[in-house]
């Protein structure tokens, strides 16, 4: 399941596998929070920077 947080990251739930651009698995988890503001210093994960920069989403 994918759930966008208002003015924040995408919450993903399920049996997840995060892969690099070359297909290497970098993480397996049941919940991840992916950055969608583009300013996280820990991409692809949200590090809370969206709140500091005032990221605004339409959903
Ligand atoms: S959405 Fe949280 S740091 Fe980008």
């Amino acid at each position: 399941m994918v759930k966008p947080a208002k003015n924040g990251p995408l919450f993903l739930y399920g049996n997840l596998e995060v892969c690099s651009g070359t297909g290497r698995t970098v993480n397996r988890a049941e919940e991840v929070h992916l950055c969608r503001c583009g300013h996280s210093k820990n991409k692809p994960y949200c590090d809370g920077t969206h709140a500091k920069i005032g990221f605004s989403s339409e959903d």
Side-chain angles (χ1 to χ4, degrees), residues 1-54:
M1 176 174 77
V2 178
K3 183 176 179 188
K6 184 171 177 61
N7 303 326
L10 291 177
F11 294 148
L12 277 68
Y13 304 98
N15 290 321
L16 307 170
E17 189 172 294
V18 180
C19 299
S20 71
T22 60
R24 183 176 57 88
T25 299
V26 293
N27 189 14
R28 286 191 173 95
E30 294 186 353
E31 179 178 341
V32 296
H33 303 164
L34 297 180
C35 173
R36 65 176 173 150
C37 75
H39 293 273
S40 171
K41 291 181 174 57
N42 188 31
K43 291 180 187 122
Y45 307 106
C46 171
D47 69 356
T49 301
H50 61 270
K52 294 178 192 161
I53 65 168

